[in-house]
Amino acid sequence: MNPLLTTPRARQVPEAAAGEGPARLYRRYRIDTELCPEIRPVPPRFRVRVRRDRLLAMVLRELIQFRGALRVALSRPCVYGVFSRKVGGLAPREELCVGCLRCTVQHPEVVQIHRNPERARLGDAYLGSAVETILYEARTGRVPVRGAGYRGRFGGEGWDGMWTDMSEIVRPTRDGIHGREWISTAVDLGARPDHLAFAPDGTPAGEPPRVVTVQVPFVFDAPPPEAPAPVRHALAEAARAIETLAFLPAGAREDPALRGAHVVASFAAAAIVPPRAADPPPAMVQLEGWDEGAFRRLGEIFPESLICVRVPSGTALPPLFEAGVRVFFLEADYHGRSGGRFAMETIQEAHRSLVEAGVREQVTLLGGGGIVMAEHVPKAILCGLDAVALDTALWAALQARFEGPCRERAQARVRFPDFEPAWAVQRLKNLAAAWRDQLLEVLGAMGLREVRRLRGEVGRCMFQRDLEREAFAGIEGYEG
């Protein structure tokens, strides 16, 4: 029997007293984090351009003005220490620059601050400034809180046009991060019957529920085809450590290190290869694209495994449900778009179609593409997903460099550094811990004790387009 198919949602049984039978340990789920610095220097955000001749002239002028007070003449207008070396502005410490522009405002003829173009290569146009946050989370495993408050966008395209509603706070002390109350982030992926049936003798009848329980509502999607083997190993080992799933190409199972219940083998319809007799059955396998014949064949080859069907986000799902599919993977591109629409819309459409068909509780919806910030996880679940798949955020955590736009998996050009396996696994664990903590903050603020209650709860969120329509509809010049 597959171990993930029988794992309980959470082991929270008090330890038995001595002499009262076998000890049963209390186990509270947590992700171990530790400081894990970058293995190669991160390009500074800004380039500090200093005119050395003008700087030396200014120092000489101030020596004369202040009658040889060398300490005064060598003082520099930067509280962040950019000019803190012994040679001062002749060799600025660009990694400390935060772009406050005080030096430029006071001495524009001496120093200018410019954005570093190398910084943009840490991600593509969609990732943008999210890379800096991801690097911090992967390095520390902590929630990125700054004293200056939130400095991001308060509206815009994609996920920025959706806001979580915290006005329904009922128990602010339900804080899963600090441990005052338990908040579950475990989700069940798989097939569930809509009702229970029993035989005349009272035993269960019919198809039993078949689920895989993961302890966080996100899984790891496959890296680009040209990614080196250590990347696949890191994804698989990190998925095992945090008790979730890693989706990898079926050919990866040739490597003994990439087998196990935590690895989902992904098959193309024309390349389904039976496993070797000695291989343990995977908890789940994936079919890329809908093909009824290939779906039936996978069911025959892997009778003990769940079958996930990967289809473009926006595909009509009720006909596939009638064909026997119970686990769907709604795929968008890495910028979150499918068929010209953003995933936020297509996910809601898929969720509503299954609700209207009366089968939503019997199926599982996974979704991937465009999930690059911790806040995107609860937003995608609010739209109707059971769990999300992570992709480009994982690569950014491993200090990958993006060569040009990264939109389609087959055409993505990403360069990974050489790294030790332990380093990569810890970075992914840190990122997962930081994202889970931020999810706990959202659940705690809403008064929810488990992430399952968040699925499809659009009453707990607001959409910018709807609010603007209510506020400005009928006003001349408004374009809804």
Side-chain angles (χ1 to χ4, degrees):
M1 181 64 69
N2 195 302
L4 276 181
L5 291 175
T6 58
T7 299
R9 294 180 179 178
R11 299 186 184 276
Q12 302 180 56
V13 183
E15 184 176 358
E20 296 182 2
R24 295 180 297 171
L25 299 179
Y26 176 95
R27 187 180 83 92
R28 181 165 182 169
Y29 177 77
R30 65 187 299 270
I31 301 175
D32 295 324
T33 63
E34 61 181 58
L35 186 63
C36 191
E38 285 75 19
I39 57 175
R40 63 183 181 187
V42 178
R45 295 172 58 193
F46 302 100
R47 303 308 305 267
V48 182
R49 304 297 187 186
V50 178
R51 293 288 301 270
R52 292 182 175 84
D53 54 341
R54 296 185 179 182
L55 175 61
L56 293 174
M58 183 183 69
V59 172
L60 290 175
R61 186 167 59 251
E62 291 180 349
L63 279 174
I64 297 173
Q65 179 181 355
F66 296 107
R67 300 179 182 180
L70 186 63
R71 183 177 179 181
V72 175
L74 294 181
S75 63
R76 295 293 167 256
C78 184
V79 297
Y80 298 100
V82 176
F83 309 118
S84 60
R85 287 195 176 100
K86 293 184 178 180
V87 293
L90 298 179
R93 303 177 64 181
E94 294 179 323
E95 69 277 6
L96 299 180
C97 182
V98 300
C100 70
L101 300 181
R102 178 190 174 190
C103 54
T104 297
V105 170
Q106 289 189 322
H107 303 286
E109 75 286 354
V110 177
V111 59
Q112 293 289 326
I113 307 298
H114 303 279
R115 291 189 179 275
N116 187 358
E118 286 295 318
R119 191 81 172 191
R121 296 185 62 186
L122 294 178
D124 65 352
Y126 183 80
L127 276 166
S129 60
V131 175
E132 297 181 25
T133 303
I134 292 171
L135 289 175
Y136 175 85
E137 293 166 334
R139 180 171 62 253
T140 65
R142 299 171 58 186
V143 177
V145 178
R146 294 183 175 89
Y150 177 69
R151 296 187 293 179
R153 303 177 63 184
F154 286 91
E157 299 294 328
W159 297 115
D160 288 333
M162 177 183 179
W163 308 322
T164 53
D165 185 2
M166 305 299 183
S167 63
E168 298 185 25
I169 297 176
V170 293
R171 293 193 67 182
T173 58
R174 181 175 293 160
D175 193 333
I177 293 180
H178 299 293
R180 288 189 284 266
E181 284 196 33
W182 169 259
I183 297 178
S184 173
T185 57
V187 294
D188 298 325
L189 313 178
R192 297 172 292 270
D194 59 347
H195 66 278
L196 295 177
F198 297 91
D201 61 354
T203 58
E207 185 70 21
R210 299 178 65 243
V211 298
V212 174
T213 299
V214 295
Q215 295 298 324
V216 285
F218 46 80
V219 298
F220 297 162
D221 205 359
E226 298 182 357
V231 175
R232 295 190 291 271
H233 289 176
L235 292 174
E237 178 58 23
R240 186 200 61 77
I242 68 174
E243 300 180 51
T244 187
L245 302 175
F247 285 67
L248 296 176
R253 289 178 61 83
E254 297 296 327
D255 187 337
L258 299 179
R259 300 174 194 161
H262 59 287
V263 175
V264 178
S266 184
F267 294 88
I272 299 178
V273 180
R276 290 173 293 191
D279 291 346
M284 184 187 295
V285 294
Q286 179 179 241
L287 175 62
E288 296 186 5
W290 171 241
D291 184 294
E292 187 168 2
F295 178 75
R296 302 299 176 196
R297 188 181 178 199
L298 272 180
E300 296 170 358
I301 295 175
F302 299 96
E304 297 184 28
S305 304
L306 294 166
I307 303 177
C308 171
V309 176
R310 190 183 192 110
V311 293
S313 190
T315 301
L317 301 186
L320 302 187
F321 175 85
E322 296 297 329
V325 183
R326 295 297 181 266
V327 183
F328 298 93
F329 189 116
L330 306 181
E331 181 183 30
D333 64 26
Y334 291 143
H335 290 190
R337 306 196 69 83
S338 177
R341 295 188 296 166
F342 192 72
M344 184 170 64
E345 302 174 15
T346 57
I347 292 170
Q348 293 179 75
E349 183 181 272
H351 174 74
R352 284 195 298 266
S353 69
L354 295 172
V355 171
E356 293 169 359
V359 298
R360 181 63 185 92
E361 295 300 329
Q362 302 180 49
V363 304
T364 294
L365 287 184
L366 300 173
I371 309 293
V372 299
M373 296 283 286
E375 67 192 55
H376 297 170
V377 175
K379 288 181 178 181
I381 296 174
L382 280 165
C383 288
L385 293 182
D386 291 280
V388 305
L390 309 184
D391 37 57
T392 54
L394 305 177
W395 315 339
L398 298 181
Q399 289 196 270
R401 296 294 178 90
F402 293 75
E403 302 291 342
C406 182
R407 185 180 289 272
E408 300 292 341
R409 181 172 57 169
Q411 287 80 34
R413 294 180 298 161
V414 184
R415 291 190 297 107
F416 290 89
D418 296 330
F419 53 71
E420 293 293 331
W423 175 86
V425 171
Q426 188 60 57
R427 296 273 293 187
L428 296 176
K429 288 170 60 178
N430 285 352
L431 182 72
W435 283 30
R436 179 176 182 267
D437 281 351
Q438 290 171 79
L439 175 63
L440 290 174
E441 291 280 9
V442 173
L443 296 174
M446 291 182 177
L448 298 179
R449 295 198 67 177
E450 60 175 353
V451 72
R452 299 177 184 90
R453 296 285 302 275
L454 190 65
R455 189 196 70 192
E457 285 283 351
V458 291
R460 294 181 180 270
C461 65
M462 300 173 287
F463 297 94
Q464 181 180 353
R465 63 176 183 274
D466 297 336
L467 296 177
E468 289 180 346
R469 188 181 303 114
E470 294 175 6
F472 305 119
I475 298 178
E476 184 179 355
Y478 170 70
E479 297 181 1

